[in-house]
Amino acid sequence: DRHSAAVIGGILLIGGALGIDVIAEGVEAPEQRDALHALGCRHAQGYLYGRPLASDGFAEAYRDSGRGQRSPAAFWAVSGVP
């Protein structure tokens, strides 16, 4: 909605002015990702990118990422949006 977009836009402006990368948290749907991207947010985390993993599951997934399984970004739950 309009109010959420204003808040997100403000946070992105503050982060940019301070030279800080802003990471949107809790992104679960492609529509959320797309709306954030349209506002200029380039990093996000949430279930859209991957579910939480135990440390042993993370290590295995990260090793597999080098073999074309998934990008390491998906397992860090941080991704440059599209």
Side-chain angles (χ1 to χ4, degrees):
D1 68 48
R2 179 172 65 90
H3 296 289
S4 295
V7 170
I8 293 165
I11 292 169
L12 291 168
L13 284 172
I14 293 168
L18 296 173
I20 298 170
D21 287 332
V22 175
I23 302 172
E25 183 176 313
V27 178
E28 297 181 3
E31 297 80 15
Q32 292 172 312
R33 177 200 59 208
D34 296 345
L36 288 162
H37 188 255
L39 291 169
C41 184
R42 299 293 178 256
H43 305 284
Q45 68 179 26
Y47 287 166
L48 179 63
Y49 301 101
R51 299 286 181 172
L53 297 171
S55 59
D56 56 341
F58 176 86
E60 180 181 337
Y62 186 76
R63 278 192 306 273
D64 289 346
S65 71
R67 290 176 270 194
Q69 301 296 315
R70 291 186 72 181
S71 73
F75 295 105
W76 292 333
V78 175
S79 176
V81 184

